[in-house]
Amino acid sequence: MAFTLGAGSALLKPIQVGGVTAENRIFMAPLTRSRADADGTPSSLAAQYYAQRAEAGLIISEATAVCEQANGAYLNTPGLYTDRQQEAWAEIASAVHGAGGKMFVQLWHVGRMAHPEISGFENVGPSPIAADLVTHTPSGKKPLPVPRALTAAEIAEIIGLFRAAARRAVDAGMDGVEIHSANGYLLHEFLSDVVNQRTDAYGGSPQNRARFTAEVVEAVAAEIGPERVGLRISPGNNAGDMTEVDQISAYELLLCRIASLNIAYLHVVSEPSAPAFAAIRTQWEGTLVLNTPRAVDTDFAELENLATWGVISAAAVGRAFLANPDLVQRLTSGAELNEPDVATFYAPGPAGYIDYPTLDELAEPQSA
Ligand SMILES: Cc1cc2nc3c(=O)[nH]c(=O)nc-3n(C[C@H](O)[C@H](O)[C@H](O)COP(=O)(O)O)c2cc1C
């Protein structure tokens, strides 16, 4: 596959994202790569992996746990709650900045998507409703258990953990954090009118369902400054066996509540034609990043059109960046793109991680 962004391309124009200037509007979407050490320290190859992709306008890191209990959806995912983890993130920040890039760390709690055999803890969620899924544990594929409903005190504690992890990210030299409230993980579970059946201040009305995500955004913005905070949402996305009958009301109230904070950006995973996206587009006046979740190749022509017409401020691209460290260069020159190798998405080691060739490497004569 190949596509050329012509001279004057909207996606190639710089954009201010909170406190940093992104050199273009093609951002790297968050991608879990399951290569972290068992204690949640990012892999020793992670700095190289991210620095290779520094020509993205903004790199958004793989999802990163705010505490040990926040983990457990996949093996070998990183965290940002120990000094050792923070040191590794500092090396990544330094490598990316050294290569001219900008980077936010995506922070998550996986909620009911955790399996106790991965996390070592019982899984939790808004209500005792299990995701009807199996996950890969160290002892094979297992169904996800019914989660325990969090207490209000635990919710307050988790908000504090997001805040502390965000502080660590900034202390590590990162440009900011993205709050992961998408794809069926804990904060998204609270937004849902199906998975969240609570009767307290965090469930029931759309306003109540939006409360947890809003409080996380507010706490993190108070800690590190709103210009360093992004938020990812995916209304109607059924990842993680997520169901939402009403895909609009809780999001409208969430965006209404956080509008005056002026966070760095809102990141929406959606089809651009979806009613929920139209509602968000009408409401959100700040920087809007779109990621289109397609089974097939990214439609760069569509993204360029959306950016040209001002429907989106920037596009986040996942698998194409995974397989093409020099994606922006390739799109600028119309070069053929490397195909992503699905078999190594979550496999340990350097293969399919730091060895996707750049155009320059492909042009070099191979040594005998
Ligand atoms: C290997 C892989 C890992 C992913 N990990 C994350 C993640 O950590 N956080 C997240 O919000 N989305 C994650 N996603 C979703 C992507 O950010 C993105 O929404 C999806 O790949 C669709 O975009 P694309 O067509 O540009 O790849 C992941 C997707 C893939 C393929």
Side-chain angles (χ1 to χ4, degrees):
M1 184 198 133
F3 179 74
T4 313
L5 293 173
S9 149
L11 287 174
L12 293 177
K13 293 201 171 85
I15 181 173
Q16 193 66 24
V17 184
V20 293
T21 306
E23 294 302 325
N24 59 64
R25 295 160 188 246
I26 308 170
F27 296 178
M28 181 175 166
L31 295 165
T32 291
R33 304 305 313 275
S34 289
R35 281 159 171 92
D37 295 350
D39 70 353
T41 304
S43 149
S44 57
L45 300 174
Q48 187 182 350
Y49 164 73
Y50 282 117
Q52 285 174 339
R53 288 156 180 78
E55 62 176 52
L58 179 71
I59 295 173
I60 304 159
S61 83
E62 65 212 273
T64 300
V66 297
C67 64
E68 210 181 343
Q69 291 92 326
N71 250 315
Y74 308 95
L75 295 164
N76 297 97
T77 48
L80 192 34
Y81 49 87
T82 70
D83 292 348
R84 181 161 186 258
Q85 293 164 352
Q86 186 177 326
E87 280 160 28
W89 283 110
E91 277 171 34
I92 295 168
S94 164
V96 167
H97 288 152
K102 308 283 167 15
M103 185 162 181
F104 277 37
V105 176
Q106 190 189 52
L107 297 179
W108 72 350
H109 187 306
V110 304
R112 70 174 191 155
M113 290 293 287
H115 196 285
E117 283 189 30
I118 302 175
S119 63
F121 300 92
E122 64 182 334
N123 61 342
V124 293
S127 305
I129 300 172
D132 186 14
L133 293 169
V134 292
T135 195
H136 293 269
T137 74
S139 60
K141 280 189 181 178
K142 299 266 175 77
L144 288 171
V146 176
R148 178 176 63 74
L150 286 170
T151 65
E154 286 172 319
I155 290 172
E157 201 182 314
I158 290 170
I159 293 168
L161 291 165
F162 269 94
R163 187 176 180 138
R167 167 51 55 197
R168 281 187 180 273
V170 169
D171 289 351
M174 286 290 167
D175 297 301
V177 301
E178 177 177 285
I179 309 299
H180 193 351
S181 188
N183 299 356
Y185 300 105
L186 184 66
L187 296 178
H188 190 188
E189 291 160 17
F190 271 77
L191 283 160
S192 164
D193 56 353
V194 178
V195 174
N196 181 349
Q197 291 296 327
R198 300 174 74 93
T199 52
D200 66 357
Y202 291 94
S205 68
Q207 194 175 15
N208 282 357
R209 283 184 276 114
R211 192 181 305 280
F212 194 0
T213 299
E215 289 182 354
V216 169
V217 172
E218 286 164 358
V220 170
E223 181 67 34
I224 61 172
E227 74 284 1
R228 289 196 176 105
V229 182
L231 170 65
R232 190 176 221 211
I233 55 174
S234 59
N237 185 335
N238 60 7
D241 189 33
M242 178 52 63
T243 320
E244 291 165 287
V245 175
D246 178 354
Q247 301 172 3
I248 295 182
S249 307
Y251 294 91
E252 273 178 349
L253 286 152
L254 169 64
L255 299 187
C256 182
R257 177 162 166 177
I258 66 168
S260 63
L261 285 176
N262 288 322
I263 61 170
Y265 65 86
L266 177 69
H267 184 176
V268 186
V269 183
S270 179
E271 282 303 327
S273 57
F277 182 75
I280 290 166
R281 175 60 282 177
T282 309
Q283 191 185 349
W284 186 251
E285 291 180 355
T287 299
L288 182 58
V289 182
L290 176 69
N291 175 242
T292 47
R294 302 272 163 83
V296 290
D297 294 336
T298 307
D299 186 344
F300 287 102
E302 175 188 41
L303 294 173
E304 173 65 16
N305 273 336
L306 291 167
T308 301
W309 291 105
V311 177
I312 62 172
S313 317
V317 180
R319 288 160 297 175
F321 248 122
L322 185 158
N324 295 274
D326 55 349
L327 179 65
V328 178
Q329 232 187 92
R330 287 183 192 236
L331 292 173
T332 308
S333 63
E336 200 62 33
L337 301 186
N338 297 327
E339 284 297 319
D341 172 23
V342 179
T344 51
F345 276 4
Y346 306 103
Y353 192 49
I354 52 162
D355 61 352
Y356 281 104
T358 61
L359 283 178
D360 289 349
E361 285 162 355
L362 288 171
E364 277 167 18
Q366 300 296 306
S367 52

